Amino acid sequence: MGAAEFRDQPDDNGTIVLPQKVALVLGGGGLKGFAHIGVLRALEERRIEPSVLAGTSIGALIAAAYAGGMPLDEMERRARALRKNDLFRIDHISMVRKRMLSPSLYLARPLRRLVEEIVPQGTFRDLDRTLLINTVDLEEASQVLWGLPGLQDVTVADAVYASCALPGFFPPGVVAGRPCADGGISDNVPALAASHGMDAVIAVDVGSTNIARARRIREKGFAAIYGRAAQIMMKSLQALQLERWRGPPLLLVRPAVWKYNWFSFAHVSRMIELGYEAANDAFDRAGASLMLGGVWPRRLVEVRVDRTACTGCTLCVTLAPHMMTMDRDGKAEVLASPVEWSRADGDFVHQCPTAAIHVDVVHGARRHPTLEMPVLED
């Protein structure tokens, strides 16, 4: 990686210089994924052209549309025009006839129609650039990344529908005879799977790593409870992958869309703006650092423990022995602070059952503190 170059300043032609081969990975997160459109806008302005596009769920939908040549203005128009009835229609007949054997809460056809209108026709071989669509084979319990060698002779629309089919919400899709569903079940932001042969990876996380505190979740019904459980599962899996990242240099873009509901249609324009802002902020902060490897951008943070709130449960020490210890009084204690963290670090902070661990940014972010958990908007 020593020869790879990444600069936050343009060259003489105004072009941002990146390593030669870059994968752009767009994660799942329901309608919060509209932030991906803003990220793509920022990349276009910086003249960044990914060699590989990969996506999960709504990230798969937007990645496929972009790979097929859909202009960003058209994406924005369609996103703003989308309404709940265009996507979510309860399958009343199946639920009455089959009851517990009904495959899903919602009908497949509205989602299929949306996918077919947006993504390119034909197979992955027909595309001008590499596109990877992340799914899970429900029978084999295995991740399937359509578009990889040997997995290219299927229609893009079939793969994208399956990637968007969150179990319980939409029926699984059938791709090359395999019953496949939302790839977020196993890998919501498939950065490592898309990194083979790449010099760098840009990963956009809109829904799995940072999540807001949900209010009155027990009162919001099956869909909200199930969706919340899926989001927590995705968060844990994603945090583990980033903590152990051994791939090429990774730029983690995390738009501040955590407080929005997965299926809210009320904040589309703002989510697009937040994606644009987050991408530009990440590029500006990372600068030439990506040539060093690891996860970027980084920031200097101060970690402290509220001793009056700490119960001495030892969970933080178990999860982060490199960072935490117990003092003589049986209270949690920070081993070293301040410390340099990427946006992938510090997940153990939110696991404290009494919220006794606090983090304040010393340098590298615009808001203080940044690790306070926002509240999910209704």
Side-chain angles (χ1 to χ4, degrees):
M1 292 305 300
E5 183 179 13
F6 181 101
R7 296 203 305 267
D8 59 342
Q9 297 296 324
D11 63 14
D12 293 338
N13 296 320
T15 303
I16 299 295
V17 179
L18 280 167
Q20 185 175 5
K21 295 181 180 180
V22 178
L24 174 64
V25 183
L26 306 181
L31 300 184
K32 293 189 289 187
F34 286 138
H36 292 317
I37 299 173
V39 172
L40 289 170
R41 178 77 69 187
L43 266 61
E44 282 197 354
E45 290 182 357
R46 292 173 182 257
R47 304 182 190 179
I48 297 171
E49 297 184 5
S51 303
V52 171
L53 289 163
T56 299
S57 194
I58 191 169
L61 181 67
I62 292 175
Y66 195 66
M70 179 176 286
L72 293 181
D73 287 344
E74 175 66 8
M75 283 194 202
E76 289 194 28
R77 184 193 69 78
R78 287 177 175 271
R80 292 192 176 99
L82 190 66
R83 296 294 180 266
K84 184 176 181 179
N85 287 339
D86 297 331
L87 190 58
F88 300 113
R89 298 181 189 175
I90 295 177
D91 190 353
H92 293 286
I93 295 177
S94 180
M95 293 179 70
V96 170
R97 289 180 176 176
K98 298 182 180 180
R99 298 190 179 185
M100 294 299 294
L101 293 179
S102 178
S104 65
L105 180 62
Y106 298 110
L107 291 164
R109 187 56 199 159
L111 176 58
R112 284 192 179 276
R113 184 181 300 113
L114 177 66
V115 169
E116 291 166 359
E117 290 176 354
I118 291 176
V119 308
Q121 298 180 357
T123 71
F124 287 84
R125 290 189 185 277
D126 299 324
L127 299 175
D128 294 330
R129 70 169 77 187
T130 300
L131 172 68
L132 305 177
I133 300 300
N134 187 35
T135 68
V136 166
D137 184 322
L138 292 175
E139 291 186 352
E140 299 295 332
S142 62
Q143 182 178 13
V144 184
L145 219 63
W146 301 100
L148 288 175
L151 298 171
Q152 299 167 321
D153 296 315
V154 300
T155 65
V156 175
D158 282 348
V160 171
Y161 169 82
S163 187
C164 292
L166 182 63
F169 284 78
F170 294 100
V174 178
V175 190
R178 306 174 71 161
C180 293
D182 191 336
I185 299 170
S186 65
D187 191 357
N188 197 41
V189 186
L192 188 60
S195 69
H196 180 72
M198 296 292 104
D199 299 321
V201 177
I202 302 169
V204 187
D205 176 15
V206 295
S208 62
T209 303
N210 270 20
I211 58 177
R213 181 179 291 110
R215 298 176 296 190
R216 305 184 306 276
I217 189 66
R218 291 185 301 172
E219 304 169 13
K220 296 181 178 179
F222 158 80
I225 293 172
Y226 181 87
R228 182 68 173 177
Q231 189 177 16
I232 293 169
M233 175 192 69
M234 293 174 186
K235 170 186 178 293
S236 298
L237 292 172
Q238 186 62 23
L240 183 62
Q241 178 183 163
L242 292 174
E243 180 184 350
R244 300 178 178 178
W245 182 257
R246 296 295 183 270
L250 183 145
L251 183 72
L252 180 60
V253 180
R254 188 174 290 165
V257 294
W258 316 303
K259 67 177 182 178
Y260 300 121
N261 190 287
W262 270 28
F263 305 116
S264 172
F265 293 79
H267 307 283
V268 172
S269 295
R270 182 56 183 151
M271 288 189 285
I272 293 173
E273 292 174 0
L274 289 170
Y276 178 81
E277 293 169 4
N280 282 320
D281 180 73
F283 279 113
D284 291 342
R285 294 192 186 285
S289 301
L290 276 186
M291 62 189 297
L292 303 176
V295 180
W296 298 90
R298 296 183 178 273
R299 56 195 175 176
L300 192 66
V301 300
E302 188 80 44
V303 185
R304 53 189 172 84
V305 176
D306 181 352
R307 290 177 55 83
T308 60
C310 177
T311 63
C313 73
T314 73
L315 182 61
C316 61
V317 177
T318 302
L319 296 176
H322 61 288
M323 189 72 199
M324 306 297 294
T325 188
M326 304 301 292
D327 66 15
R328 294 179 179 178
D329 299 324
K331 299 286 187 176
E333 183 178 35
V334 181
L335 288 172
S337 185
V339 63
E340 187 182 63
W341 275 357
S342 77
R343 288 166 177 162
D345 295 313
D347 183 67
F348 72 92
V349 172
H350 299 310
Q351 304 301 327
C352 177
T354 60
I357 306 174
H358 301 272
V359 179
D360 298 284
V361 173
V362 177
H363 177 70
R366 294 172 181 166
R367 289 180 294 176
H368 303 260
T370 61
L371 295 187
E372 293 295 330
M373 182 176 282
V375 176
L376 186 67
E377 289 195 352
D378 294 328

